[in-house]
Amino acid sequence: MDTRRVRDETFVRSVEHRLTVDSTNSLALRMIEDSPELPLLVVADEQTAGRGRGANSWWSPVGCLMFSLVIRRLEQEERLPPYSLHMGLAVRAALAEIAPSTEVAVKWPNDVYLDQRKVSGILVEVPPAGADTLVIGVGINVNSSFQDAPSSVSRVGTSLYDATGSTFDPLNVLCRVLRHVERELDLVQRESGLAERWLPVCYLLNRRVALESGGRTVSGVCAGIDDSGGLLLATDSGVQTISSGVVSFAE
Ligand code: BTN
């Protein structure tokens, strides 16, 4: 991979490219110790232990674009801003430009859907106490095909290739995504209209969903999100704001 092009064309200042790695997020967390110049991008052609949210793993074959970005956190943060939602908007915008014939949406809290199937997942991790950095991991199914995937993921996943029948230059996709990411990170700092920008591309909007969090399940119809990134659910007892949880469809 032409790592110089990434540095020349995007806001990333150091790049670590590996053919194979356990997980780009795990490598990025290890690399923080060496105080690299930030933003740092860790990108791999293949992962042997790609991680998803909670206990989930991430199917990580060659053809999937997998990277982690290490950024400096805002100093004044008390509560972590909804970075994964901003990243979702950035990835969605890039994919909508790359595959204009498809329908690309964001699924709260950390997925991007293309033609009703998951095409990308985002995993934000905070390094051990004291660090002022953040690791943002992104997986985008670009040239990988779900025809080759284990059945557990093939039912819900898609790739740019599966959806369009074309292959894409991963470096072009990466640079385009990073340009949108830079813009979104700027908007995080300015706390700018997240809810308003989310609404037109919200995958869950007006759908009946069940949200499971801490052993409690809340059901309702999704009414979008608020500016701090909470999911708005219209329930029998009024609109509730849910800050985290696992979504399933109640229909
Ligand atoms: C999810 O869907 O639950 C999040 C998936 C995040 C996958 C990416 S791939 C690059 C980075 N490295 C990892 O181990 N995970 C993230």
Side-chain angles (χ1 to χ4, degrees), residues 74-83 86 183-197 226-229:
L74 300 178
E75 270 170 35
Q76 72 274 21
E77 284 170 12
E78 282 169 22
R79 183 173 170 268
L80 198 65
Y83 281 99
H86 283 276
R183 218 190 60 146
E184 276 298 328
L185 291 179
D186 188 49
L187 293 174
V188 175
Q189 302 200 10
R190 290 194 271 123
E191 297 176 357
S192 174
L194 177 66
E196 196 179 282
R197 291 184 303 114
D226 67 8
D227 272 333
S228 60

Side-chain angles (χ1 to χ4, degrees), residues 215-229:
R216 189 171 153 256
T217 302
V218 184
S219 298
V221 175
C222 172
I225 64 168
D226 67 8
D227 272 333
S228 60

Side-chain angles (χ1 to χ4, degrees), residues 229-250:
L231 186 76
L232 300 176
L233 268 195
T235 70
D236 292 343
S237 52
V239 175
Q240 292 193 29
T241 307
I242 318 278
S243 57
S244 66
V246 176
V247 175
S248 56
F249 289 105

